[in-house]
Amino acid sequence: FVIMPDHIHFILIASEKMVGAILRDMKSMIGRRVIDSWKTISAEQDLLSRFRLPELEKRLHRWAIWQPGNWITLLENEKTIETRVDYI
């Protein structure tokens, strides 16, 4: 994997039907940990406020660090896999 300033790249080996659930759980876990760490650091309160959801979008959470959706590229052959690994 590689962490970029505004997104991450990684290769996940899983069945196609499990990818959505894995990404949902990963984003949830990382989001909770990031927000919890920002809550404990008073200097970061301004940063946390930048991720507050508008009132109409609040569901179970008050903040969101992830954009909605996922951008998935299926790696179906050796050449595609090599190209993506080299890119990452």
Side-chain angles (χ1 to χ4, degrees), residues 7 9 20-21 28-29 45 47 57 62 66 77-78 82 85:
H7 63 281
H9 291 279
S28 176
M29 180 192 69
Q45 290 302 316
L47 180 59
E57 292 183 31
R62 292 188 290 175
W66 299 101
N77 59 54
E78 192 74 25
E82 288 176 13
V85 168

Side-chain angles (χ1 to χ4, degrees), residues 21-36:
I22 292 168
L23 291 175
R24 179 199 63 226
D25 293 348
M26 180 196 75
K27 290 166 74 172
S28 176
M29 180 192 69
I30 293 170
R32 269 187 260 129
R33 288 186 179 186
V34 167
I35 289 169
D36 287 346

Side-chain angles (χ1 to χ4, degrees), residues 2-86:
V2 63
I3 300 174
M4 305 297 287
D6 61 353
H7 63 281
I8 61 173
H9 291 279
F10 61 94
I11 295 176
L12 173 67
I13 299 171
S15 68
E16 196 171 337
K17 68 180 185 176
M18 291 299 298
V19 171
I22 292 168
L23 291 175
R24 179 199 63 226
D25 293 348
M26 180 196 75
K27 290 166 74 172
S28 176
M29 180 192 69
I30 293 170
R32 269 187 260 129
R33 288 186 179 186
V34 167
I35 289 169
D36 287 346
S37 70
W38 287 346
K39 286 179 184 178
T40 62
I41 302 170
S42 60
E44 300 297 336
Q45 290 302 316
D46 183 53
L47 180 59
L48 184 59
S49 70
R50 295 179 191 183
F51 293 89
R52 183 177 294 278
L53 290 170
E55 286 294 325
L56 294 175
E57 292 183 31
K58 289 181 186 175
R59 293 177 211 100
L60 300 174
H61 310 288
R62 292 188 290 175
W63 301 278
I65 65 166
W66 299 101
Q67 294 179 351
N70 301 308
W71 288 266
I72 300 169
T73 302
L74 295 178
L75 307 179
E76 299 177 312
N77 59 54
E78 192 74 25
K79 181 65 176 158
T80 306
I81 293 168
E82 288 176 13
T83 301
R84 290 296 170 165
V85 168
D86 288 344

